[in-house]
Amino acid sequence: ICLCPEGYELGSDPTECGDADECSSGNGGCSQNCTNTVGSYECSCGDGYELYTENGQGGYSIASGETGDVAGDVLHLNHSCIPITCGIPPVIENGEALISSSITKFSYGDPVVYLCNEGYNVDDSSNATQTVYCEASGNWSQPANCSSTTCPSLEDVIANLSTPLVNKPEFQ
């Protein structure tokens, strides 16, 4: 009987060992992507995620009673993917991020709504709010500026009326 080293298996010829495709069964235990290599395999993660390689990474901890080394653990080292985290959303002038003080971690895809102060709108729009997202890079999508709201002049309003103003009669 021939025994093969880890990552190899007996082929059609029972005296020769060939590469085992670990990814063909259960995705190799990888939570997202599995790439077979000669004699081994590698797990990888899609955009916005990173491979969990050490306890505490990204604020994630191995569950009590688990080691992280066994398939079936909630977080399996070098197999599980965790979302990329972003820092605290940036502060903007003339507005604020509407977030609870109890939220301390933001992950890929998380939204944060900004509200402009009274008398301000997002850039050149009539909106007082804007939503930004934690991006795959670990950065926030760019928040807009809260600009001072300006009203058009009376002359501009009159010039853009679809029907002309009619003079009111004067009473004597």
Side-chain angles (χ1 to χ4, degrees):
I1 296 178
C2 294
L3 296 177
C4 297
E6 188 174 337
Y8 293 86
E9 61 190 2
L10 289 173
S12 56
D13 179 348
T15 63
E16 291 185 17
C17 294
D19 178 52
D21 183 359
E22 295 88 353
C23 298
S24 66
S25 176
N27 201 38
C30 302
S31 65
Q32 290 188 7
N33 306 317
C34 183
T35 304
N36 188 53
T37 61
V38 176
S40 190
Y41 67 101
E42 294 177 357
C43 297
S44 61
C45 305
D47 286 346
Y49 293 85
E50 62 186 346
L51 196 61
Y52 186 70
T53 58
E54 64 181 338
N55 193 23
Q57 179 182 343
Y60 292 89
S61 297
I62 294 171
S64 178
E66 295 184 357
T67 64
D69 294 325
V70 180
D73 282 355
V74 174
L75 290 171
H76 188 184
L77 292 166
N78 299 308
H79 290 75
S80 296
C81 294
I82 58 172
I84 297 285
T85 56
C86 290
I88 299 298
V91 174
I92 61 171
E93 287 188 47
N94 304 311
E96 64 180 310
L98 302 178
I99 54 175
S100 168
S101 60
S102 64
I103 298 176
T104 58
K105 182 172 84 172
F106 298 90
S107 299
Y108 170 61
D110 284 347
V112 169
V113 175
Y114 281 90
L115 174 66
C116 293
N117 296 338
E118 188 173 338
Y120 292 85
N121 284 335
V122 175
D123 288 331
D124 295 325
S125 73
S126 60
N127 297 325
T129 63
Q130 179 197 17
T131 303
V132 298
Y133 296 89
C134 177
E135 296 181 326
S137 63
N139 297 313
W140 289 98
S141 58
Q142 188 62 41
N145 297 318
C146 290
S147 305
S148 180
T149 304
T150 55
C151 296
S153 69
L154 182 58
E155 291 81 17
D156 287 343
V157 171
I158 292 171
N160 290 319
L161 287 175
S162 58
T163 56
L165 291 176
V166 177
N167 289 336
K168 293 183 180 179
E170 290 185 25
F171 296 100
Q172 299 193 2

